[in-house]
Amino acid sequence: METKHILLFKNSQNTQINNESIDFILTSPPYPMIEMWDETFFKLNQEIKNQFNKKNYRLAYELMHNELNKTWKECYRVLKPGGIIAINIGDATRTLNKNFQLFTNHVKIIEYMQNLGMQSLPPIIWRKTSNKPNKFMGSGMLPVNAYVTLEHEYILIFRKGEKRKFNKNEIIRRRKSAFFWEERNKWFSDIWKDIVGENQTIDKYYKTNRDRNAAFPLELSLRLIHMFSIYEDTVFDPFLGTGTTTIASAVLGRNSIGYEIDTSFKNLIKERINNIKTITEQYINNRINSHKKFIENYIKQKNKAFKYYNENLKTPVMTSQEKDISFYQISNVQKNENLFICKYSNFTPFLI
């Protein structure tokens, strides 16, 4: 198996992606009304800055989402029928003109995507609990001007049209891409509490234009790509940032395309690619070890044997749909300027 990973930057040539060529889109855009993103939106549209300076904050907020909508429209164009898009977005709290308020970014995106013709699927609430002593805002112990803490983000999920249909070759790849029963039970819950946020600080060595990366964790990308795509699918991220979606796609044997307007991230992304074989080995070992613990606990608690067995991984499994699960490890990485190609070999398991 071989996958290709294309990195497109603002100054890249041939950045046009073909209509209906993408199987899954995973991204996290700049969050409107989060202060660290103000300059990004100002550069995209001078009128946003003008309205902000005039203290017309609600209009500036609308204009920020108008800029994001241009990307969502392109996502709709490139996504295949039956394809899924997952958007990690947080709402924003901000004090403007001495007035504290909430800006509901997830509502704006849902509204626009539905108007595009996308079908909303149940979202995931990603719970990011903070232990900071100053997390409570407002008037301390006194009613009524205290505020509820905002400690979650959304993973909005949309589908283009009806459920995806699979040809004969895709059916085989789909079965090999299946997840374990215990993974399904955890992943397909509407509240995720087990994934911690990423360290936002960027090492000054990389000389990027930002001090903070605002990236979602690699584990988040791995889980979502596994949930909504199969081996050799093509995954697209229109807000690539530090390359998390690209790295996760390579680890999971998917092709990928990533687009980023900030070219200062190029060296950081390439540095992460250098570690991709190690990341893949760790990911496979973690899944194997986790499944092994599940088997041991299940047998201990239920006192009965498993009905099904996966020959590829040499392990008992809960259901017949898990019998063909296959893991692939990266054997070689070929790197060009804005392209890298991963070649894979079958994972050789130890006996569980």
Side-chain angles (χ1 to χ4, degrees), residues 142-235:
L142 303 175
V144 324
N145 293 328
Y147 308 117
V148 173
T149 58
L150 185 64
E151 298 183 295
H152 68 271
E153 295 185 1
Y154 293 89
I155 301 169
L156 306 177
I157 303 169
F158 306 94
R159 185 179 65 226
K160 185 176 180 179
E162 298 178 355
K163 288 194 296 185
R164 177 175 172 178
K165 297 177 174 62
F166 298 88
N167 59 37
K168 289 183 178 180
N169 179 53
E170 289 174 333
I171 288 173
I172 295 172
R173 289 193 280 121
R174 187 188 189 195
R175 294 191 67 87
K176 290 183 176 182
S177 307
F179 19 79
F180 293 122
W181 180 85
E182 67 275 13
E183 291 175 328
R184 189 279 311 271
N185 293 346
K186 177 192 288 186
W187 296 354
F188 285 84
S189 167
D190 63 344
I191 300 177
W192 287 359
K193 298 180 181 180
D194 61 317
I195 299 179
V196 298
E198 190 86 351
N199 183 349
Q200 301 290 304
T201 304
I202 299 176
D203 194 315
K204 293 182 179 180
Y205 166 81
Y206 295 107
K207 298 180 181 179
T208 60
N209 293 330
R210 297 204 311 264
D211 295 327
R212 299 176 68 238
N213 58 37
F216 45 55
L218 180 61
E219 186 178 353
L220 193 84
S221 292
L222 290 166
R223 187 177 295 185
L224 289 165
I225 291 171
H226 208 142
M227 290 166 64
F228 297 114
S229 68
I230 63 175
Y231 283 131
E232 299 182 64
D233 271 359
T234 299
V235 179

Side-chain angles (χ1 to χ4, degrees), residues 129-144:
T129 304
S130 172
N131 293 318
K132 294 179 180 178
N134 61 344
K135 71 178 181 178
F136 295 103
M137 299 171 289
S139 56
M141 311 310 132
L142 303 175
V144 324

Side-chain angles (χ1 to χ4, degrees), residues 290 292-303:
S290 179
K292 181 179 179 180
K293 290 179 182 177
F294 165 74
I295 292 169
E296 292 173 349
N297 291 335
Y298 184 87
I299 293 175
K300 185 184 299 183
Q301 292 173 9
K302 301 293 184 180
N303 195 27

Side-chain angles (χ1 to χ4, degrees), residues 1 5 41 61 64 90 133-134 150 163 186 205 221 238 246-247 254 259 284:
M1 186 171 69
H5 305 273
F41 283 108
Y61 172 66
M64 288 177 182
N134 61 344
L150 185 64
K163 288 194 296 185
K186 177 192 288 186
Y205 166 81
S221 292
T246 292
I247 300 300
R254 276 70 164 170
Y259 187 79
I284 291 174

